[in-house]
Amino acid sequence: MANRGPSWMYSTSPRESSTNNKWMHSGCPTISVGSCSSWYPSGGSEGFAWVWENAECDGNGMRKEGPVRQVFRTSYQSSVPPRPFHHSTQNRTTVVLYGSSHIRELYFAFLRLQRGLSFQGHIEPHIRAFSSGDVVVVANPKMSCDPNGTGFHDGYYGVDLESCGLPHKRIIPEFGQQGVPNNSSHLAAIGFKTFFHTPDADQIFVKYLDNQGLRYPNVVITDVGVWGPRGNRMGGSANVEMEPEEELQYNLDWLIHTFPTSKIVVVVEPEVNLPFKETYGRLLEFGNTAAHENVLLLRKDLVMERRPIWMDCEHGCAGPVMVVVAQLILDWLNEATKDANKCF
């Protein structure tokens, strides 16, 4: 194993978003994933685990010598040292998660870290029951939310709220320590986001946040494009078919305009996971745009890039990858909260 370097460093890799340089100037940390990061198995008295090292490449595409940024160990053991969410937020940084089932898996990874569980640790069924909606039974199956039972392929989740029900949302009480004074009654919430263009569902979620005292959170964690465009699906105010590029732009503009004071962490999926192929390049461009200085890209695609093919990678790559993504965010929250006057 390479020598462990500082737990927080800034990006210099040409493959990473130049947004990182912008954040260096602002004094607020970024979330950097080195292009030569790597995984390897580890045994010993602590049991089998996967270890990820956050490492940079040199000018020749080879791993730089010297200490690495971060080292994270993800264990198969049933009990590991817990990492409570509120230790990173200090019970004052407010966080909202809004995204697909991959963001839901990130939420579960945060919970496992909080509870000191392995990446396979048990999550109660009532917590795992968090989805894109509750399908309403109708007399004519052809007019139902998801007549073929194919989910995002043919379903109207997030679009036809009458047939599909509302995408799920909830407060996350585990992410705040009770009894600590705060100017908000809650510190964290999560909502399920489906297609790019879901204006009614988006509006309902924002109203929910407002009612919970989280209308303008310090941090929004999201993903963009896992479900892709709604296309010819219609429902509510989504009553006109749009070009996929228009839907994607709606999604990005909505984030910026809805959360103008929040730091927006966009978890970038591998290009192959995004059904609308232009999404990946547009996200990298989005993170590089000077006008979007509140946007940070978390390159999950780079975390996954050198993953051994036999390593656990379930839905959304739940497993060691998602635990590392969660650890990266917790490291960032810890540093950003310390510099709250510069970041929030």
Side-chain angles (χ1 to χ4, degrees), residues 66-141:
V68 297
R69 279 202 199 99
Q70 293 149 302
V71 179
F72 294 131
R73 179 184 176 89
T74 59
S75 176
Y76 278 88
Q77 299 296 102
S78 59
S79 179
V80 296
R83 188 173 187 185
F85 196 88
H86 69 267
H87 283 186
S88 292
T89 62
Q90 298 179 28
N91 283 298
R92 65 174 188 263
T93 299
T94 51
V95 179
V96 166
L97 296 91
Y98 190 46
S100 73
S101 55
H102 295 197
I103 292 295
R104 177 189 65 202
E105 295 300 330
L106 175 61
Y107 161 46
F108 296 160
F110 283 134
L111 277 179
R112 290 186 173 101
L113 287 169
Q114 168 124 343
R115 297 175 178 184
L117 301 175
S118 75
F119 63 80
Q120 298 174 315
H122 174 72
I123 300 290
E124 298 89 332
H126 74 275
I127 292 179
R128 295 192 63 86
F130 190 84
S131 70
S132 54
D134 297 304
V135 176
V136 179
V137 177
V138 297
N140 184 353

Side-chain angles (χ1 to χ4, degrees), residues 135 138 140-151 154-157 164:
V135 176
V138 297
N140 184 353
K142 292 184 179 180
M143 297 178 63
S144 71
C145 169
D146 189 3
N148 299 315
T150 59
D154 299 302
Y156 285 66
Y157 301 97
C164 298

Side-chain angles (χ1 to χ4, degrees), residues 98-101 131-133 152 155-161 164-168 191-199 201-202 223-230 233 247 251:
Y98 190 46
S100 73
S101 55
S131 70
S132 54
F152 74 89
Y156 285 66
Y157 301 97
V159 178
D160 183 352
L161 303 183
C164 298
L166 297 179
H168 291 181
F192 200 110
K193 165 77 170 168
T194 60
F195 302 102
F196 289 139
H197 185 245
T198 56
D202 294 339
D223 57 3
V224 174
V226 173
W227 281 55
R230 64 174 172 82
R233 300 170 179 87
E247 288 199 43
N251 198 163

Side-chain angles (χ1 to χ4, degrees), residues 64 137 315 339:
K64 285 184 178 179
V137 177
H315 181 79
D339 293 329

Side-chain angles (χ1 to χ4, degrees), residues 14-77:
R15 291 191 58 194
E16 295 164 15
S17 168
S18 63
T19 304
N20 297 342
N21 294 326
K22 173 178 57 187
W23 282 91
M24 289 171 61
H25 295 309
S26 72
C28 189
T30 185
I31 307 175
S32 297
V33 177
S35 301
C36 280
S37 299
S38 60
W39 293 90
Y40 63 87
S42 175
S45 59
E46 298 180 4
F48 182 81
W50 287 105
V51 177
W52 182 76
E53 294 184 341
N54 193 356
E56 291 285 5
C57 295
D58 61 21
N60 297 317
M62 303 297 292
R63 180 166 168 164
K64 285 184 178 179
E65 296 184 4
V68 297
R69 279 202 199 99
Q70 293 149 302
V71 179
F72 294 131
R73 179 184 176 89
T74 59
S75 176
Y76 278 88
Q77 299 296 102

